[in-house]
Amino acid sequence: MNVRKGPYFADVGDFGSAGALAIDYVNKLPKNIAEMTFGSFGYQRGVAAGSTAMGAGTLLAAIEASKYNGPWDVPDNVRKLNGVMRYSQGTVTDGFSLTAMAYSNGWNSTDQVAQRAIDQGIIGRFGTLDPTDGGTSSRFSLSSNWAQSSEYGQSKVSAYVVRSDLQLFNNFTYLLDNPVNGDQFNQLDRRTLGGFDARHAFDWRFGGLETQTRVGVQGRYDDIHVGLFKTESRAWLSTVREDRVQEGNVGIWMDSTTRWTDWLRTTVGIREDVFAGRVLSDTPLNSGNAQASMTSPKAGIVLGPWYKTEFFGNAGYGLHSNDIRGTTITVDPNDKVTPLDRVPLLVRSRGAELGLRTKAIEGLTSAVAVFVLDFDSELLFVGDAGTTEPSRPSRRVGVEWTNKYKPAPWLTFDLDVAYTRARFTDFDPAGDRIPGAPAWIASGAVTFGGDTGWFGALKARYFGPRPLIEDDSVRSLQSLIFNARAGYRFDNGVRLQLDVLNLFNANTNQIEYYYLSRLPGEPIGGVADRHVHPAEPLAVRLTLAGRF
């Protein structure tokens, strides 16, 4: 996994302003693997994977099946199946691969519930106010990668096509909008999408200076059937809106890294993104076409290393796209009459950071950075619709400190701490806090073990309290959860492992929102309340695995 933070990378486009994660998959396993896991609350998981030579290449295949109920009064009844098959030839820099993946899942869902329902004893902590919430999902994909190295540089091309289907049934407000049938709604997202990424890197000399330039083009096209329906116990009542959406985007980018001296190098880049699409709505007044483009320059500098320490600075522009239906909407789909304002298709972001990273202490890799990140429009969760909507401009200013210390080959310590001050930047009497944005986040871990023998880990994750409404008068609980692992690797490739999740049985929440809802017998206008989804209690899982 390649993690990058901030809008500083020319090869990262939509929704890459705060950061981006790229996942690469192996082409060959050193040994075949098989695992079985059983745990608390009906957890079951089995996985098998292996690779073998086939012709001039390698065939890799894997399958995973899992079931889970969870601690909820209405069991999750998760039924998930994953599969992958890949054929590859050559190496990462000179070769190709073809990969097929499949995923299917179905579940019941205990969504966030009104805190007052728990306090009044209407339901227990793990209860639900609508036992028919849940969903189904499936995803099938075919992708390919090709790479070639030559005296002219390194070329890489990837392409993919995906078919996905998602059906969600949620009821966040219970009896607020419809006191008779309830407020459950169904979200449908059925789409076929395809895309590509082509890039080339080459080394040359700029006035005698070592320089590497990368150029690339990326594209994606989505053909989407999306809908929002009112339901009761998953039975259709009425259609709020149903749309066919076709949307495409192309991004062209280039960056160059120049080494000016043995202690100074710079990177400059630029990216151009173009988005276009159309909406065919069941409400003709909300149909239409939209298009937008945005240019995003980037720049970075690295000074050092001195004493195994280097200083860095980055700045750049980024963007995120809004739901294209918001760019063509004219009337409220509920009543087909009330006028609504349109939103821009693309939203600008800006970011900068200064920091240092060091290996001055033997075995310790440490980095610290201060950053600022601005958005022209924040995306906020809307409780009564179960969606996000464009909101006010915002700024985040913070500092992040990351550490990995390895005093011995068999022992590692990790500690990451971040503080962020998140605020809306325009004036509004409601307040300037961004709901759901925590100030403090931290994680830490100690892991030990080698290729054989005993191994283990103790990990902690902390989320500080966060505002739930703009004036900060309602705040969430903090969350500190520990997970532990212990096991033994035998010389014959067998591994026995015990995991304990939420080791100290922390009584906290994974989700907290604040909005209006209505329980039976309450005023028609509803009651503003905290809505929570509790963290799962202490659970144990035992894994038996083998390599052969």
Side-chain angles (χ1 to χ4, degrees):
M1 291 190 294
N2 181 19
V3 181
R4 294 180 291 176
K5 297 184 178 180
Y8 317 127
F9 306 96
D11 60 336
V12 177
D14 195 16
F15 282 100
S17 298
L21 173 67
I23 302 176
D24 292 327
Y25 298 95
V26 299
N27 291 333
K28 181 179 180 181
L29 295 175
K31 290 187 176 181
N32 300 328
I33 61 174
E35 294 186 10
M36 294 186 299
T37 302
F38 299 91
S40 305
F41 310 119
Y43 183 85
Q44 302 175 45
R45 177 179 179 264
V47 61
S51 58
T52 184
M54 177 175 285
T58 301
L59 179 67
L60 180 147
I63 189 168
E64 177 201 36
S66 61
K67 296 180 65 178
Y68 186 50
N69 287 326
W72 319 108
D73 294 349
V74 176
D76 277 348
N77 195 25
V78 169
R79 307 168 305 282
K80 184 173 70 171
L81 186 67
N82 287 316
V84 60
M85 183 172 292
R86 164 174 284 194
Y87 180 75
S88 62
Q89 287 187 8
T91 65
V92 174
T93 56
D94 286 278
F96 76 91
S97 66
L98 183 65
T99 305
M101 288 182 168
Y103 156 85
S104 179
N105 197 0
W107 64 92
N108 299 321
S109 178
T110 297
D111 291 323
Q112 67 261 20
V113 297
Q115 181 67 54
R116 64 187 184 280
I118 300 174
D119 296 341
Q120 296 170 13
I122 298 173
I123 58 172
R125 178 169 169 77
F126 300 107
T128 180
L129 291 168
D130 191 333
T132 64
D133 287 351
T136 59
S137 178
S138 63
R139 183 180 176 96
F140 304 92
S141 67
L142 186 66
S143 61
S144 62
N145 293 279
W146 173 86
Q148 185 177 65
S149 299
S150 70
E151 58 182 311
Y152 302 106
Q154 170 73 46
S155 298
K156 292 183 178 180
V157 179
S158 62
Y160 57 88
V161 60
V162 180
R163 172 66 178 180
S164 71
D165 194 308
L166 176 66
Q167 291 262 17
L168 291 177
F169 296 88
N170 298 111
N171 186 348
F172 297 129
T173 53
Y174 322 123
L175 296 167
L176 180 65
D177 296 327
N178 189 331
V180 177
N181 303 113
D183 297 350
Q184 189 184 71
F185 58 92
N186 167 223
Q187 292 167 289
L188 164 70
D189 189 317
R190 184 175 294 131
R191 69 177 66 197
T192 301
L193 63 100
F196 68 92
D197 183 319
R199 59 183 64 197
H200 181 74
F202 57 94
D203 298 323
W204 59 293
R205 302 191 75 82
F206 171 70
L209 301 173
E210 295 180 9
T211 301
Q212 183 185 74
T213 295
R214 303 187 307 160
V215 296
V217 58
Q218 300 159 334
R220 171 171 164 166
Y221 177 79
D222 289 60
D223 185 354
I224 312 167
H225 177 198
V226 61
L228 178 64
F229 312 94
K230 293 182 179 180
T231 56
E232 181 182 10
S233 300
R234 301 198 186 189
W236 179 88
L237 295 177
S238 62
T239 298
V240 178
R241 69 176 300 172
E242 190 170 9
D243 306 289
R244 291 300 300 262
V245 177
Q246 290 86 37
E247 183 175 6
N249 66 81
V250 175
I252 303 172
W253 61 273
M254 178 183 71
D255 64 21
S256 287
T257 300
T258 301
R259 181 171 289 278
W260 301 88
T261 69
D262 58 358
W263 52 267
L264 172 63
R265 67 181 186 272
T266 60
T267 300
V268 293
I270 192 166
R271 180 182 182 91
E272 178 75 14
D273 286 285
V274 180
F275 284 68
R278 65 172 181 166
V279 177
L280 298 176
S281 178
D282 61 343
T283 302
L285 289 174
N286 289 334
S287 299
N289 300 321
Q291 64 180 30
S293 62
M294 196 165 278
T295 303
S296 304
K298 329 272 187 175
I301 184 171
V302 178
L303 302 171
W306 298 290
Y307 304 102
K308 298 183 179 180
T309 301
E310 61 183 18
F311 301 86
F312 61 88
N314 292 292
Y317 289 82
L319 60 92
H320 73 73
S321 61
N322 282 324
D323 188 329
I324 193 171
R325 292 174 298 171
T327 70
T328 63
I329 197 168
T330 60
V331 295
D332 189 329
N334 283 286
D335 61 19
K336 321 296 184 186
V337 174
T338 304
L340 292 178
D341 294 331
R342 294 180 173 182
V343 300
L345 180 56
L346 299 181
V347 176
R348 168 64 74 200
S349 66
R350 294 165 292 274
E353 68 174 355
L354 291 172
L356 67 88
R357 44 185 170 254
T358 180
K359 294 183 178 179
I361 299 175
E362 188 66 28
L364 174 66
T365 301
S366 184
V368 63
V370 294
F371 64 88
V372 58
L373 180 62
D374 292 347
F375 286 99
D376 285 352
S377 174
E378 189 84 12
L379 287 176
L380 287 187
F381 177 78
V382 184
D384 57 357
T387 60
T388 56
E389 70 176 14
S391 182
R392 301 155 56 188
S394 65
R395 165 166 288 185
R396 288 168 172 80
V397 180
V399 58
E400 185 175 65
W401 183 37
T402 62
N403 302 273
K404 179 182 287 292
Y405 181 48
K406 198 172 184 68
W410 55 270
L411 181 63
T412 303
F413 296 92
D414 293 278
L415 176 64
D416 301 327
V417 180
Y419 170 79
T420 306
R421 184 182 186 274
R423 299 289 188 272
F424 290 118
T425 54
D426 63 346
F427 174 76
D428 192 309
D432 65 353
R433 301 300 179 95
I434 300 176
W440 289 97
I441 295 177
S443 65
V446 53
T447 58
F448 69 89
D451 294 335
T452 59
W454 290 100
F455 67 93
L458 178 65
K459 299 184 178 182
R461 183 198 65 199
Y462 174 77
F463 288 98
R466 54 199 181 275
L468 298 183
I469 57 176
E470 287 84 345
D471 65 5
D472 201 28
S473 61
V474 183
R475 296 176 63 80
S476 74
L477 299 177
Q478 65 179 4
S479 171
L480 176 60
I481 292 179
F482 289 84
N483 298 322
R485 169 175 293 171
Y488 192 87
R489 294 187 180 97
F490 297 88
D491 294 338
N492 61 2
V494 173
R495 182 180 90 250
L496 188 63
Q497 174 180 306
L498 178 68
D499 289 283
V500 183
L501 308 179
N502 197 356
L503 178 64
F504 300 111
N505 204 26
N507 189 13
T508 187
N509 297 317
Q510 290 180 330
I511 294 173
E512 293 192 38
Y513 296 114
Y514 189 81
Y515 55 83
L516 283 171
S517 64
R518 180 176 178 267
L519 302 177
E522 291 185 336
I524 291 296
V527 176
D529 193 12
R530 187 191 311 265
H531 294 75
V532 304
H533 182 78
E536 298 188 20
L538 184 148
V540 296
R541 294 177 183 175
L542 183 65
T543 299
L544 178 63
R547 294 174 178 264
F548 54 93

